Amino acid sequence: EVQLVESGGAVVQAGGSLRLSCAASGFTFDDFTMHWVRQIPGKGLEWISLISWDGDSTYYADSVKGRFTIFRDNTKSSLYLQMNSLRGDDTALYYCTKGAPEYIVTATSFDYWGKGTLVTVSS
Amino acid sequence: QSALTQPVSVSGSPGQSITISCTGTTGDIGLYNSVSWYQQHPDKAPKLMIFDVTKRPSGVSNRFAGSKSGNTASLTISGLQPDDEADYFCSSYKNLSGTAVVFGGGTKVTVL
């Protein structure tokens, strides 16, 4: 069974930093592009970032470019999101998602989602 | 404001069919066959219902069908059931030089 378990969400002051983690299991982690998607509770979804299966390619939404860094450790089947210079509009539930199919950087169908981890940025 | 435009709400009676539209541009929906649809129940993570415009993941009911014409994609739910009441989001691949994936604002489906 595929499982994605996010952690690391917290209340942080504006300008601060936070690192989110996602532990993956139930599939061959290093075969798939992984993504972070966020959602303000009760609102829509926003794609944040993707990383290719081998970690060589990363892409970001304009809203987080230069502030967030996505990386992965395939030996630990884990995905991360380093968030710096946090702002109030970064407040959201952050989902780790698995792209499909394998070995495609532009695999932008998200076939599995974690339950999310909540980030709250206070001013 | 979301990049893709969806109606805020759609409703139907049990057994009926409803269609949710998702309008983009020639740079996303109109250019790529990478449209997906997600169902989200309250306080739950989204669930993939349709990918690559028309394909259903294993385990998704064939009452859900996707289509596309020009810059507009659609999700049709036939034989509406109470458990279909949820929010539905569309998405499309756009490009890797900017925002790779764009979403619609979501449509609340109500089963009357």
Side-chain angles (χ1 to χ4, degrees):
Chain A
E1 178 194 6
V2 171
Q3 284 197 319
L4 300 170
V5 181
E6 302 95 336
S7 61
V11 177
V12 61
Q13 283 198 326
S17 297
L18 208 57
R19 178 178 293 184
L20 306 184
S21 301
C22 171
S25 61
F27 65 102
T28 306
F29 182 71
D30 53 8
D31 283 354
F32 292 90
T33 293
M34 297 294 293
H35 303 254
W36 288 98
V37 176
R38 69 185 179 185
Q39 183 176 34
I40 298 172
K43 301 294 184 182
L45 298 164
E46 180 186 13
W47 175 83
I48 294 301
S49 182
L50 74 80
I51 185 167
S52 60
W53 61 93
D54 56 6
D56 285 351
S57 300
T58 59
Y59 297 92
Y60 301 91
D62 291 339
S63 59
V64 306
K65 200 172 293 183
R67 301 187 299 122
F68 290 12
T69 302
I70 188 172
F71 59 103
R72 64 193 293 163
D73 185 340
N74 285 347
T75 66
K76 297 181 179 179
S77 295
S78 292
L79 175 71
Y80 304 94
L81 185 68
Q82 177 66 41
M83 304 188 297
N84 298 330
S85 303
L86 283 161
R87 311 185 305 219
D89 59 0
D90 294 319
T91 294
L93 187 64
Y94 284 72
Y95 291 106
C96 165
T97 71
K98 171 180 167 288
E102 61 265 49
Y103 299 127
I104 298 178
V105 174
T106 55
T108 51
S109 292
F110 311 127
D111 59 351
Y112 289 93
W113 298 62
K115 293 184 177 181
T117 187
L118 185 63
V119 173
T120 303
V121 182
S122 65
S123 53
Chain B
Q1 189 171 353
S2 300
L4 306 179
T5 301
Q6 297 180 235
V8 173
S9 63
V10 173
S11 62
S13 299
Q16 286 186 331
S17 293
I18 61 168
T19 297
I20 304 168
S21 62
C22 172
T23 301
T25 69
T26 53
D28 39 64
I29 292 178
L31 188 57
Y32 303 104
N33 288 324
S34 296
V35 176
S36 299
W37 290 91
Y38 301 90
Q39 176 193 65
Q40 187 177 35
H41 286 111
D43 298 322
K44 298 292 185 183
K47 174 187 176 183
L48 180 66
M49 305 301 285
I50 295 288
F51 67 99
D52 291 351
V53 180
T54 61
K55 299 175 183 177
R56 278 187 309 275
S58 173
V60 172
S61 170
N62 60 8
R63 297 187 299 105
F64 292 84
S67 61
K68 187 184 88 166
S69 177
N71 298 338
T72 298
S74 299
L75 174 70
T76 298
I77 309 175
S78 58
L80 205 59
Q81 297 181 359
D83 191 52
D84 297 334
E85 184 162 299
D87 292 325
Y88 291 82
F89 295 91
C90 61
S91 74
S92 174
Y93 172 74
K94 191 167 179 71
N95 63 72
L96 292 179
S97 61
T99 297
V101 181
V102 288
F103 283 96
T107 298
K108 171 67 177 177
V109 168
T110 301
V111 181
L112 301 171

